[in-house]
Amino acid sequence: MTEPQRASSRPDQARRLSLLARLIFGSRWLQLPLYVGLIGAQAIYVLLFLKELWHLGASWDDVTEQQIMLAVLGLIDVVMISNLLVMVIVGGYETFVSRLNLRGHPDEPEWLSHVNASALKIKLAMAIIGISSISLLRTFIEAGSLGTGRTNYTEIGVMWQVLIHITFIASAIGIAWVDRLSETPARKDANQH
């Protein structure tokens, strides 16, 4: 191939690579329906919360303190899952799809200013531990009825819940440790200031 032929083929190759690069980069928009779907799931959780709150309010005089505590823990569980959804929707969209341009907005979440894939993983792991803790607390409250037939829990079921919760904690510690090990010196300096 002569020099003029090579020179004339380079812009064509660069254009093809540019189109390929644009296609690959543009594929991030395929995640948009996923985030919209999560918004729909959040709407369902709002309805579930209102339904559970209505049941609690309608039967408040016919229930024991333990039943009220279990119902409130159920409401807290729904709120924590909803918070997890917000973190995934907002943080994931901002990190992987497109900027939301919320800088300076009075309602901008504090954590969004320093969100990246690594920070999002740690926040999600902590949220999952929180949700697991609430679920485990509900189990422990009902564990007093083990063996009486008044609960759906078994000793083995409670043991598995504790082991799964410990696994969540160990996983979060592992994620944070790997993130810490992979920090670059420039990122460490930025985090200290």
Side-chain angles (χ1 to χ4, degrees), residues 101-149:
N101 297 321
L102 296 176
R103 303 287 181 252
H105 191 280
D107 294 331
E108 177 189 5
E110 177 271 327
W111 54 267
L112 192 58
S113 63
H114 53 271
V115 72
N116 58 34
S118 181
L120 192 58
K121 280 189 289 190
I122 292 171
K123 288 189 181 305
L124 293 176
M126 297 308 295
I128 289 169
I129 289 170
I131 292 165
S132 175
S133 297
I134 295 296
S135 180
L136 196 56
L137 182 57
R138 290 176 68 189
T139 299
F140 285 161
I141 289 171
E142 287 193 38
S145 301
L146 282 177
T148 64

Side-chain angles (χ1 to χ4, degrees), residues 19-83:
L19 289 174
L20 179 61
R22 281 189 276 171
L23 176 66
I24 291 170
F25 187 64
S27 70
R28 73 192 190 284
W29 287 100
L30 292 173
Q31 290 188 0
L32 182 62
L34 305 177
Y35 292 114
V36 171
L38 287 177
I39 292 169
Q42 178 138 8
I44 292 169
Y45 263 100
V46 168
L47 294 175
L48 175 65
F49 181 90
L50 294 173
K51 176 183 159 195
E52 293 300 318
L53 186 61
W54 175 261
H55 286 302
L56 180 61
S59 62
W60 70 271
D61 58 343
D62 287 340
V63 293
T64 65
E65 181 182 355
Q66 182 177 357
Q67 290 170 322
I68 291 173
M69 190 182 326
L70 289 171
V72 169
L73 286 173
L75 293 174
I76 292 170
D77 203 24
V78 170
V79 169
M80 291 185 77
I81 291 171
S82 184
N83 290 343

Side-chain angles (χ1 to χ4, degrees), residues 145-190:
S145 301
L146 282 177
T148 64
R150 295 184 314 212
T151 183
N152 293 328
Y153 296 106
T154 64
E155 289 178 19
I156 293 174
V158 172
M159 180 197 67
W160 276 110
Q161 278 189 311
V162 170
L163 290 174
I164 291 168
H165 183 70
I166 290 169
T167 303
F168 286 153
I169 292 171
S171 297
I173 291 169
I175 290 168
W177 184 62
V178 167
D179 183 57
R180 177 90 179 195
L181 288 176
S182 65
E183 274 189 355
T184 62
R187 193 169 139 207
K188 284 181 186 177
D189 289 341

